[in-house]
Amino acid sequence: MLFKGSRECVPLYALYALLFADHGLNTAQISSLLALWSVTSFVLEVPSGAWADTVSRRGLLVLSGGLVAGAFTLWTVTPSYLGFALGFVLWGVSGALESGTFEALMYDELAARARTGAYARLMGYARAAAETTVMVAILAAAPLYALGGYALVGWVSVSMAVVHTAICLLLPNAPKAVAAPEEGTADVVPVGHAPAYAVGRPAAAAELDLGAESTVTRYLAMLRAGVAETWRVRGVRRGVLLGALLFGITAYDEYFALLAQSAGVSTTVVPVLIGVTVAGSMTGTLLAGRTSSFSARALAWMVAAGGVLFVGGALVAGAAVGRPEWMYPLTVAGFVAIGIGYGAVLNAEIVADARLQDAIEGPARATVTSVSGLLAEVVALGVFGVAALAGAWLSMSATLAILGSAMFVIAALTPVWLPRRRAEQVAR
């Protein structure tokens, strides 16, 4: 929780678009910076996952934190297009290094203690901590700016990144588990020492004598192993796809503020409505430990119910347009429903991630997780594309309703694509 919470405690989140604009950048230049950030993360997502399977995961997370601190330092010291661009590159590399690495480290540490059943619950707590600190940081940005302008906001963000880096040093350096332990055992099989039951499976560590290989050879072996397991093992492949769909679809949250604005509410109320959706997502992530034991069919019904609430909430909020006397009751009701539906999807995403971690049996756990992250980015780009096309013809409420309807498709796929839950000792 400290790791995720400290990473997202960044006051610059609330103001960096204004920081760019106030230093002379136009909309096209700002868009190019965001594109550079996205492309950097996209290109490095899977290669960085293989690197996390090759070297110390804790070390990579420390490096990731240091790069974030460097990015915000560049923005504060050299507030120019070049400084912002270099900062985004550093931030993009940092995000790629962190994505998949933390999840793999946590799962392997729990596997070493025969407590993988606690993964979904702990990841839910970690996500909730991140969302809480994002809200705190955004709220803190206004008084910080009033006291010291962009410089103070920037240096506080740098300081929090340094604190996050220090917290990374406290993380365990868990042994990389080749496969989850057999039911009722607490054995962890280090990379390079595969048990008999792992032999013959795709990317099993028995096929990789990593200890005798060079770092480059080990890296390439991990990259091949992770991609091969993702492609060849049906349960892993379906888990990767389901996780990507569940997380990628949540890119629709970028349009919540526009929905509130289109309904006609005042600008000061918009953050409150966004806060309602954040509360919904926090509740959903906190409950992941309780829903981790749900059957695939039960989880599918939860996602479908979330879809009904999300689509209905978007349409209810849209009904406030042109009805000033009903504007606030309708928008509040709509955003409450959206928040619950949003939380249901994030809850299911954490459970799907936990099942995917159970399904991975090769040594390249972070690589497989990074493939899911890469595909989630592709889904998110699809969300943005659909929103751009629909938004040209339809209202924002109708556009969000269309995006939310994808949750019904995901719910239909969940009973087939969700990996089975491994029987194991339940964490106390």
Side-chain angles (χ1 to χ4, degrees):
M1 289 186 288
L2 280 175
F3 173 85
K4 283 290 188 180
S6 61
R7 186 174 182 87
E8 301 301 328
C9 192
V10 181
L12 271 172
Y13 280 168
L15 296 174
Y16 66 73
L18 297 179
L19 170 68
F20 304 155
D22 288 348
H23 283 86
L25 274 63
N26 57 35
T27 303
Q29 289 174 313
I30 294 173
S31 297
S32 70
L33 290 175
L34 296 172
L36 178 63
W37 182 27
S38 179
V39 169
T40 301
S41 298
F42 184 87
V43 170
L44 296 178
E45 181 75 36
V46 175
S48 66
W51 191 243
D53 287 321
T54 306
V55 299
S56 166
R57 289 171 181 159
R58 180 176 62 189
L60 282 187
L61 293 175
V62 172
L63 175 61
S64 174
L67 290 174
V68 171
F72 297 152
T73 299
L74 277 173
W75 287 4
T76 305
V77 174
T78 58
S80 62
Y81 183 86
L82 179 60
F84 297 144
L86 291 175
F88 265 128
V89 169
L90 291 181
W91 198 357
V93 174
S94 171
L97 290 176
E98 189 267 345
S99 176
T101 304
F102 175 67
E103 290 82 358
L105 183 147
M106 175 180 285
Y107 189 89
D108 282 346
E109 175 64 18
L110 291 171
R113 304 181 184 193
R115 296 186 61 193
T116 53
Y119 178 84
R121 175 170 56 85
L122 293 177
M123 283 301 299
Y125 290 165
R127 297 276 187 89
E131 290 164 358
T132 300
T133 54
V134 166
M135 289 187 65
V136 172
I138 289 174
L139 293 174
L144 288 173
Y145 179 79
L147 289 173
Y150 289 121
L152 181 58
V153 175
W155 286 121
V156 170
S157 299
V158 171
S159 299
M160 292 309 303
V162 171
V163 170
H164 169 73
T165 305
I167 289 173
C168 291
L169 292 169
L170 303 177
L171 292 171
N173 204 17
K176 295 178 176 65
V178 171
E182 292 286 344
E183 181 178 350
T185 71
D187 297 326
V188 172
V189 185
V191 169
H193 298 80
Y197 59 80
V199 176
R201 297 190 180 182
E207 302 170 16
L208 302 171
D209 185 12
L210 301 183
E213 303 289 349
S214 68
T215 300
V216 173
T217 303
R218 288 162 54 201
Y219 169 80
L220 294 175
M222 285 297 181
L223 183 61
R224 288 194 300 268
V227 174
E229 184 169 11
T230 302
W231 178 254
R232 296 176 185 171
V233 181
R234 184 173 60 179
V236 174
R237 181 174 66 249
R238 289 178 172 179
V240 163
L241 291 172
L242 181 61
L245 286 173
L246 284 166
F247 189 68
I249 193 65
T250 60
Y252 51 41
D253 62 7
E254 300 290 345
Y255 301 98
F256 290 168
L258 295 178
L259 174 64
Q261 184 184 59
S262 69
V265 302
S266 64
T267 303
T268 55
V269 176
V270 172
V272 177
L273 295 175
I274 301 304
V276 171
T277 65
V278 174
S281 65
M282 286 174 57
T283 302
T285 54
L286 284 171
L287 292 175
R290 294 182 178 273
T291 59
S292 61
S293 61
F294 278 13
S295 67
R297 190 171 298 277
L299 202 69
W301 278 111
M302 184 183 74
V303 174
V308 171
L309 287 168
F310 188 96
V311 172
L315 295 177
V316 167
V321 178
R323 295 180 176 85
E325 68 280 10
W326 289 98
M327 180 173 59
Y328 286 106
L330 288 173
T331 52
V332 170
F335 270 82
V336 168
I338 288 172
I340 297 172
Y342 187 35
V345 169
L346 288 175
N347 179 288
E349 189 272 326
I350 293 173
V351 175
D353 175 45
R355 301 288 182 89
L356 173 61
Q357 297 295 337
D358 281 343
I360 298 170
E361 294 184 339
R365 183 175 301 279
T367 307
V368 174
T369 307
S370 292
V371 172
S372 185
L374 174 67
L375 294 177
E377 291 290 340
V378 174
V379 174
L381 290 174
V383 169
F384 297 147
V386 171
L389 290 173
W393 303 96
L394 302 173
S395 66
M396 182 50 61
S397 64
T399 298
L400 267 175
I402 290 173
L403 293 176
S405 64
M407 293 162 65
F408 301 127
V409 177
I410 298 173
L413 293 171
T414 298
V416 179
W417 284 9
L418 184 70
R420 294 181 180 179
R421 186 169 184 260
R422 184 181 295 274
E424 62 191 351
Q425 178 182 354
V426 178
R428 298 183 182 220

